[in-house]
Amino acid sequence: MFLNKTELSYDSAALTTADIIVIIKNAGFSAQFQHSATGNQACFLATRPTYDSDLEKDRGIISSTLDMRGVVAVNVMDHLAGFLVDVEFNPDIAGTRDIALALRSQGFTVELAKNDKNGSDKGRGEMTHMRQLLVISVILEIPVIFLAFIFPHAGTSEIVRDLSARNLALFLLTTPIQLFVGAPIYRGAWNGLVLSRELNMDSLVVLSTSCAYFYSTIATIVAISSTRYQAPEVFFETSATLMTLIIFGRYLQALARGRAIDALNKLKDLQSPTANLVVPDSNGDEMIERIESGYLQRRDIIKILPSERIPTDGVVVRGTADVDESNMTGESVPVGKGLSDEVMAGSININGTLHVRVTRVQRESKLNDITRLVEQAQASRAPSQAFADKIATWFTPFVIALGFTTYLMWLILGLLGKVDTTKYSPGVLALTYAVAVLVVSCPCAIALAVPTVIVVGAGVGARNGILVKDGSVFEDAVKVTHVVFDKTGTLTQGQFQVVDCLELGEADSQHSACDLAATAASNSEHPLSLAVTLYCKERSSQSLYPEESTAYPGFGISCRVQGREVRVGKVTWVFEGIELSAEAKDFLTRTYQLGWSIVAVSSNQTPLMMFALADGPRPEAAVVVNHLKAMGLQVHVISGDHQSAVNHIAQQLGIESAHAIGDCTPSDKLTRLTQLQASRHIVAFCGDGTNDAPVLAQAQVGVALGAGTSGVAIATAKVVLLTNDLRGMAITIDLARQVMARIRINFAWAFLYNLVAIPLAAGCLVPVMEDARIPPALAGLGELVSVMP
């Protein structure tokens, strides 16, 4: 609710979205439908002219029209003057443009349903409204301050009996502050009490200010209308000052919420609203059609002109240009783009003209993923939030009870003559203390201690290229004791090159060993396989095609080529049951000693080739390892590569040999990780491959390198490093420590504030020091003091 958003499930046969919105509005809230859109799902708003509208007939037309190739499912929902048409489709066959054209051909006016940008309009409206109320309150409060505090004896002459000009002016100035400016607070208290059946912060404000205002008003009326009562001491200034200060505090809260929402909207603003679609005319010439980016489909060709923002992810098919990707990667240096290079939504074409083939529509682009994950993290609830909510829920009834007790105690003391009642009667004196207690206490400081920091922390992470998917990550990351890295592509650059090769035999007279190795290795995206494929293709005499292939994660890949079973991968798996020659054993020994990786190739249980591959550590890896150690963390490396290669990298980076484990299958990695966790260690794991997904899921903090990383790994990880820079690992843990430190400070401040302020307001120290109290008129500063840090 901090971001004014909630999710719910409902039975569409029993309720429509319009019904739900009405229910929410009847509960005292404003509401707007927010649809979901993904790469294979979109929501359309379809309407007809009111004079030509038969809802049941139109619903049937929509369903039958969208019974088309590529459409998987259609859900037609009543919505205001038309329909919300939620469509699931196969993006490789159909797209949003096809669906919209089909509906328009039936006479519907169609547009993509658009969400309010995360409540930004509501957030701005809330800020504007609170600012207007604050201005009105301040204008009226200024003369109240002059009359009550600066010139207290001005206007004391009576207009009528027991009604001075001063009191009349205070009444006229205070009434609009109390009843008009304070109306939102009265509504909040009423909604909380009647609809939610709970007492909230608004309840405290309403109770305290109403006591001061209505007591003063009623006492004045009674004194005027009766000769038995003298002009009473009134507290109009208390009510006006309290309400003004509280409205100021609420305005600051609205401002903070608005800034949190704006931080997310800045990401959304990176999405270009339009795109230049390249379409051939009847003569086959190129034409440009300007369309909404939401109507782009896979395989579309779009034209990116200089200074334009790239609307979605794609591959360059023509042209060259320098592209500013700093919004996505944090890297300020422009990146040159040419044929077959990938471009990302949100990037800016600095110069040149690019023709790009769309590979991901806007709703599935990396930019959209970033936005969704940041929004998810900001809206998530950290475990400590439940603790804060529970305290805040019990705090308000406790304070009301305490205020009532304070009133009784001071009333009894006044009636017994134990305190000075020359200035105020016992009842009025007791009321001043009770009002001060109700106003000075602040459960909102406790309730806001966590969500404000989570929102800011997620935003700081996003600006540094770190996507935190859930607020609980901060609480887990701060407890981390061991950081475990994958080796290939994580600690190392993952850009292998074949530095040595040994041919062990020929395939047959028609096909060389390189032919078979290139064909089999090309079916794997593992960095080692890619290097072998490149090396062999340069030396291959012909192109072959695999008849079938099977991947064995952690071992390699098996293919059937020209009737032969060809294996490419780990030596122990490829050469399983095969006796190697002395030359092959010497090659293995020499390669392992140098810390190189080895890929073996066999055909029908016959050794063909062995490749030695080298991959250096990332430039920042040693710095990151040393920094993590300096933070008091144990650093490990677990890899499927040979033990000697793992030891070589560990030695270069300063990782203890006991913490460098090689020859691990994915299940071995998982076993090693669970062993650490069984010893009550909190583990963060950083990896980049599909085979790392189980370990990323098992670790308390799973961190995936974003650029070029397996989609499975990114989906499984709780943190994604978009910049592909290992320094993000250290930043993540440091950010978590800062976030949790701030949350602890917030809790400590909230408790300390209430622990000091409430006894002072209740007058606990007055017997020792007469002025050691918080007057009711200044108690409203608590709204500011308690939440400002």
Side-chain angles (χ1 to χ4, degrees):
M1 291 301 291
F2 183 81
L3 296 178
N4 300 321
K5 184 174 181 179
T6 189
E7 294 183 5
L8 53 86
S9 300
Y10 68 98
D11 182 357
S12 58
L15 286 173
T16 67
T17 54
D19 294 332
I20 296 173
I21 289 174
V22 170
I23 293 170
I24 295 174
K25 287 183 177 179
N26 289 340
F29 299 93
S30 61
Q32 180 179 355
F33 177 71
Q34 301 269 304
H35 69 85
S36 61
T38 60
N40 65 342
Q41 184 181 13
C43 194
F44 301 84
L45 179 60
T47 57
R48 270 190 192 274
T50 54
Y51 61 82
D52 187 28
S53 181
D54 183 335
L55 293 180
E56 289 303 320
K57 181 180 177 182
D58 287 346
R59 188 181 290 107
I61 291 174
I62 290 173
S63 298
S64 60
T65 300
L66 295 184
D67 185 12
M68 54 189 283
R69 183 172 177 267
V71 173
V72 177
V74 178
N75 183 20
V76 183
M77 300 170 283
D78 294 337
H79 182 70
L80 302 179
F83 302 97
L84 277 175
V85 186
D86 197 6
V87 185
E88 183 182 350
F89 53 90
N90 184 339
D92 291 321
I93 300 175
T96 54
R97 199 165 64 253
D98 296 333
I99 295 167
L101 288 173
L103 292 174
R104 285 170 184 159
S105 69
Q106 298 298 324
F108 291 96
T109 299
V110 181
E111 60 183 76
L112 284 168
K114 294 180 175 63
N115 288 333
D116 168 48
K117 293 197 297 185
N118 199 49
S120 59
D121 291 342
K122 183 181 185 303
R124 281 191 290 269
E126 182 184 6
M127 283 190 292
T128 301
H129 182 57
M130 295 305 296
R131 183 168 58 245
Q132 291 171 345
L133 293 179
L134 179 61
V135 169
I136 293 171
S137 191
V138 168
I139 291 173
L140 296 172
E141 171 67 12
I142 289 173
V144 170
I145 292 175
F146 272 92
L147 286 173
F149 302 109
I150 299 177
F151 303 110
H153 301 294
T156 55
S157 58
E158 292 185 349
I159 301 174
V160 296
R161 187 175 57 84
D162 290 332
L163 177 61
S164 65
R166 173 182 177 275
N167 284 0
L168 177 62
L170 288 174
F171 170 75
L172 295 176
L173 291 168
T174 300
T175 298
I177 296 178
Q178 182 70 31
L179 302 182
F180 176 74
V181 174
I185 298 176
Y186 275 93
R187 282 195 298 270
W190 174 261
N191 290 338
L193 186 62
V194 175
L195 300 177
S196 303
R197 297 181 181 179
E198 64 179 21
L199 297 170
N200 53 29
M201 182 61 190
D202 290 332
S203 306
L204 293 179
V205 175
V206 166
L207 191 60
S208 56
T209 59
S210 295
C211 283
Y213 173 77
F214 287 109
Y215 164 78
S216 301
T217 302
I218 294 171
T220 301
I221 294 173
V222 170
I224 294 172
S225 60
S226 174
T227 57
R228 296 175 57 189
Y229 299 98
Q230 296 181 350
E233 182 72 31
V234 295
F235 300 97
F236 288 117
E237 71 278 4
T238 299
S239 165
T241 304
L242 286 178
M243 194 62 78
T244 301
L245 290 173
I246 287 165
I247 288 296
F248 181 43
R250 298 297 169 89
Y251 171 68
L252 292 182
Q253 290 180 27
L255 196 64
R257 182 185 289 109
R259 286 177 175 173
I261 293 173
D262 285 342
L264 182 60
N265 287 335
K266 287 179 182 178
L267 281 175
K268 295 187 176 184
D269 288 340
L270 296 178
Q271 294 180 333
S272 174
T274 59
N276 300 316
L277 178 66
V278 178
V279 293
D281 61 13
S282 57
N283 298 321
D285 295 328
E286 181 182 282
M287 293 181 59
I288 302 298
E289 181 181 347
R290 194 78 170 173
I291 66 170
E292 278 189 53
S293 299
Y295 287 118
L296 288 175
Q297 301 179 175
R298 291 185 190 176
R299 298 181 302 280
D300 280 344
I301 303 297
I302 55 176
K303 188 175 184 178
I304 315 295
L305 299 173
S307 301
E308 283 190 337
R309 195 177 295 277
I310 297 172
T312 192
D313 297 355
V315 175
V316 177
V317 295
R318 193 198 313 170
T320 58
D322 291 324
V323 175
D324 179 3
E325 296 183 338
S326 58
N327 288 322
M328 298 295 296
T329 65
E331 178 55 57
S332 59
V333 179
V335 181
K337 299 292 182 180
L339 185 64
S340 299
D341 287 335
E342 291 187 356
V343 293
M344 294 181 289
S347 305
I348 299 174
N349 180 10
I350 298 176
N351 50 41
T353 300
L354 295 175
H355 283 67
V356 174
R357 184 181 71 252
V358 174
T359 56
R360 300 184 187 93
V361 297
Q362 195 173 62
R363 297 176 303 282
E364 59 181 349
S365 66
K366 290 184 179 179
L367 175 58
N368 190 72
D369 288 343
I370 294 169
T371 304
R372 179 176 51 80
L373 291 174
V374 171
E375 185 175 6
Q376 177 182 323
Q378 289 186 334
S380 63
R381 291 169 57 84
S384 55
Q385 182 62 43
F387 171 71
D389 289 345
K390 187 173 182 179
I391 292 176
T393 299
W394 287 99
F395 187 85
T396 301
F398 168 77
V399 170
I400 291 175
L402 188 62
F404 183 69
T405 303
T406 300
Y407 178 81
L408 290 179
M409 292 298 297
W410 281 101
L411 178 63
I412 293 170
L413 291 173
L415 293 174
L416 294 177
K418 300 295 184 180
V419 293
D420 183 11
T421 55
T422 56
K423 186 176 181 181
Y424 298 118
S425 66
V428 174
L429 179 66
L431 184 64
T432 63
Y433 284 104
V435 168
V437 169
L438 293 174
V439 176
V440 81
S441 58
C442 196
C444 59
I446 301 170
L448 293 175
V450 178
T452 50
V453 184
I454 295 297
V455 167
V456 173
V460 170
R463 288 197 297 273
N464 285 276
I466 301 168
L467 287 187
V468 179
K469 294 185 180 181
D470 192 277
S472 63
V473 169
F474 292 120
E475 294 195 26
D476 292 332
V478 79
K479 302 172 187 174
V480 165
T481 57
H482 290 62
V483 179
V484 180
F485 290 97
D486 175 46
K487 182 181 81 72
T488 305
T490 303
L491 285 177
T492 65
Q493 299 181 61
Q495 298 175 347
F496 286 90
Q497 291 184 336
V498 176
V499 293
D500 200 358
C501 174
L502 176 65
E503 293 193 22
L504 302 173
E506 284 293 329
D508 54 43
S509 59
Q510 295 180 338
H511 311 107
S512 69
C514 278
D515 293 339
L516 298 179
T519 303
S522 63
N523 284 273
S524 171
E525 295 183 359
H526 193 281
L528 292 172
S529 296
L530 295 176
V532 170
T533 301
L534 181 64
Y535 179 86
C536 291
K537 280 188 174 180
E538 292 175 352
R539 294 157 179 79
S540 177
S541 59
Q542 56 183 314
S543 297
L544 303 176
Y545 298 94
E547 299 165 15
E548 59 181 67
S549 64
T550 304
Y552 295 89
F555 296 98
I557 189 166
S558 173
C559 293
R560 184 158 295 279
V561 184
Q562 298 294 309
R564 295 172 173 272
E565 183 196 2
V566 181
R567 283 189 174 189
V568 179
K570 293 181 71 171
V571 173
T572 54
W573 178 69
V574 172
F575 293 159
E576 186 178 9
I578 300 175
E579 181 64 31
L580 296 179
S581 64
E583 183 184 15
K585 292 178 180 178
D586 290 342
F587 181 86
L588 288 172
T589 301
R590 183 176 71 255
T591 303
Y592 287 151
Q593 287 174 346
L594 293 171
W596 293 342
S597 299
I598 298 177
V599 172
V601 183
S602 69
S603 172
N604 288 345
Q605 292 292 299
T606 301
L608 291 184
M609 304 184 77
M610 284 196 296
F611 302 90
L613 301 97
D615 176 30
R618 290 178 179 272
E620 75 277 8
V623 174
V624 171
V625 169
N626 289 333
H627 186 75
L628 291 173
K629 285 181 164 183
M631 295 171 74
L633 305 174
Q634 295 278 350
V635 180
H636 300 244
V637 54
I638 300 178
S639 175
D641 210 346
H642 194 272
Q643 184 65 52
S644 60
V646 177
N647 287 339
H648 184 69
I649 287 294
Q651 186 178 13
Q652 287 181 277
L653 300 180
I655 299 174
E656 291 82 355
S657 57
H659 295 165
I661 310 298
D663 294 313
C664 288
T665 64
S667 59
D668 291 336
K669 290 183 180 181
L670 192 60
T671 300
R672 294 280 183 177
L673 194 77
T674 52
Q675 286 174 350
L676 285 174
Q677 292 173 324
S679 301
R680 297 188 178 181
H681 297 306
I682 307 299
V683 181
F685 179 83
C686 184
D688 71 323
T690 300
N691 62 345
D692 292 328
V695 198
L696 287 167
Q698 176 66 30
Q700 281 92 346
V701 181
V703 181
L705 293 179
T709 299
S710 157
V712 177
I714 291 178
T716 308
K718 295 179 181 177
V719 180
V720 180
L721 306 182
L722 293 173
T723 57
N724 220 33
D725 189 326
L726 281 182
R727 284 174 292 191
M729 185 76 229
I731 294 174
T732 298
I733 296 176
D734 188 58
L735 177 62
R737 291 182 176 184
Q738 297 295 331
V739 164
M740 294 311 297
R742 173 54 56 188
I743 288 175
R744 284 192 291 268
I745 289 173
N746 286 355
F747 274 133
W749 175 259
F751 282 112
L752 180 63
Y753 163 80
N754 285 292
L755 189 65
V756 172
I758 291 177
L760 280 175
C764 293
L765 297 181
V766 168
V768 179
M769 187 182 302
E770 185 177 352
D771 294 328
R773 62 168 297 193
I774 299 176
L778 296 181
L781 286 172
E783 180 82 5
L784 304 178
V785 175
S786 63
V787 300
M788 187 65 73

